[in-house]
């Protein structure tokens, strides 16, 4: 006889160790770390997908979100040399660059025919004045008034605070006055001081990354959170990362989206020393994110790092967002990504439609711009 979970999920529970987890999913009970461990350890991939898709559909129904966006990487100069990064350069390197504010506005003008969001992220540049950042934001705001400005990771914000002798709250207030609306989720890497010490020496501690988001949320700034996996992390590190995000979200409700990022090793010191996650592992991480982060409104399948094919499957494993058209991704491509540097709107719509879900174009705060039935 089929149990309640099997009736609701329309798949057999082949891995009986997940029976209790499946019942929790159906009854809306929060998963604990033991459930998470079992999901990552199980090969009952149909059940894992069905559980995550069940949860996704309860939160966002048939919609899958995308946005017309443009990433701006204003500088590749960075004072920290993370072992995962193929993009950062020293300030005297021949191929070091920093974009002027005029060049940034000029770049965005090429995309102004329907732009919902600009995503701004750069290296930790030791020589730029603070008003470079405020005038960047205010120029974008005045030239592109309808576009959501998603700018600066918690890592950059923490660096600005140290470099310019301000506290994080003042940095954020001044950036918001200039035009910042939301913050991307980069820099979270893995929220483990052991791994940060080994791979991200010089970067802020995990508590500092979390406290910058806490401060942003208190100021009413919605933010995202990422997790970079596929290097030296263990399952326990992944689960602990999710646990720390879930508990901050219980406190603030300030996160919009969780974005699992797959490490690309080419041109980094880790090349040849790590194993790239398999397709099944990528799907399990997406599904676990959807199931465990029950208080996050959205889970992103970032097509740049996942490939279009795995992204489509991830939409049946709990993801409800694919990010955007991007128009020239640089960080992952420096590390060997084989995906295109951007996608057209038409390609985005057909990628989503093909999965049976309904594409919903959104702005940077998830206000729907248009639904493509
Ligand atoms: O923080 C660096 C990661 C992040 C590599 O918030 C790498 O909506 C893979 O945070 N291989 C920047 N990843 C990108 C990011 C992001 C992307 C899309 C959407 C959002 C969002 C945020 O990229 C960095 C770092 O974790 N990264 N090097 C690499 N070799």
């Amino acid at each position: 006889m089929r149990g309640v979970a099997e009736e609701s999920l329309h798949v057999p529970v082949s891995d009986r160790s997940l029976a209790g987890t499946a019942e929790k999913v159906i009854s809306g009970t929060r998963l604990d770390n033991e459930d998470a461990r079992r999901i990552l350890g199980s090969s009952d991939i149909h059940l894992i997908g069905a559980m995550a898709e069940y949860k996704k559909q309860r939160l966002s129904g048939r919609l899958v979100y995308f946005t017309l966006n443009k990433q701006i990487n204003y500088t590749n100069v960075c004072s920290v040399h993370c072992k995962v990064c193929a993009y950062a350069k020293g300030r005297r390197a021949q191929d070091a660059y920093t974009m002027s504010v005029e060049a940034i506005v000029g770049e965005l003008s090429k995309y102004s025919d329907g732009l919902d969001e600009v995503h701004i992220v750069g290296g930790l540049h030791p020589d730029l004045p603070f008003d470079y950042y405020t005038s960047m934001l205010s120029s974008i705001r005045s030239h592109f008034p309808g576009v959501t400005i998603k700018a600066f990771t918690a890592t950059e914000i923490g660096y600005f605070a140290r470099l310019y002798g301000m506290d994080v709250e003042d940095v954020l207030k001044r950036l918001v006055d200039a035009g910042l609306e939301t913050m991307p989720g980069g820099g979270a890497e893995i929220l483990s001081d052991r791994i940060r010490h080994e791979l991200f020496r010089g970067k802020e501690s995990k508590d500092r990354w979390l406290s910058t988001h806490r401060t942003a949320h208190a100021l009413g700034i919605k933010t995202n959170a990422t997790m970079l996996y596929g290097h030296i992390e263990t399952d326990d590190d992944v689960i602990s990362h999710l646990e720390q995000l879930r508990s901050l979200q219980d406190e603030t409700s300030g996160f919009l989206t969780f974005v699992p990022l797959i490490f690309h090793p080419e041109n980094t010191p880790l090349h040849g020393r790590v194993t790239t996650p398999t397709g099944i592992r990528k799907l399990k991480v997406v599904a676990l994110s959807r199931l465990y982060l029950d208080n996050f409104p959205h889970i992103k399948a970032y097509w740049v790092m996942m490939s279009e094919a795995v992204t489509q499957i991830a939409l049946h494993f709990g993801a409800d967002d694919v990010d955007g058209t991007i128009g020239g991704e640089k960080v992952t491509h420096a590390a060997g990504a084989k995906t295109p540097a951007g996608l057209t709107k038409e390609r985005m719509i057909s990628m989503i439609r093909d999965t049976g879900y309904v594409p919903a174009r959104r702005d940077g705060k998830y206000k729907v711009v248009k639904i493509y039935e």
Side-chain angles (χ1 to χ4, degrees), residues 69 71 73 82-88 117 119 121 150 153 155 183-190 200 203 209 223-229 231 257-268 300 302-305 321 323-324 326 329 331-337 362 366:
N69 66 352
Q71 283 189 8
N73 302 114
C82 301
K83 289 189 182 150
V84 301
C85 187
Y87 191 65
E117 175 191 271
H119 175 170
V121 61
K150 176 172 89 177
T153 62
T155 308
M183 276 168 57
E189 319 306 2
I190 286 276
F200 305 93
K203 211 163 196 165
W209 188 92
T223 72
N224 293 342
T226 58
M227 173 179 74
L228 183 69
Y229 72 100
H231 42 86
T257 312
F258 177 66
V259 197
L261 302 174
I262 301 154
F263 175 53
H264 285 57
E266 232 174 272
N267 305 318
T268 77
K300 193 177 282 191
Y302 185 42
W303 66 265
V304 171
M305 296 195 191
D321 187 289
D323 200 78
I326 294 176
E329 200 281 338
V331 176
T332 329
H333 284 81
R362 62 160 176 88
Y366 285 84

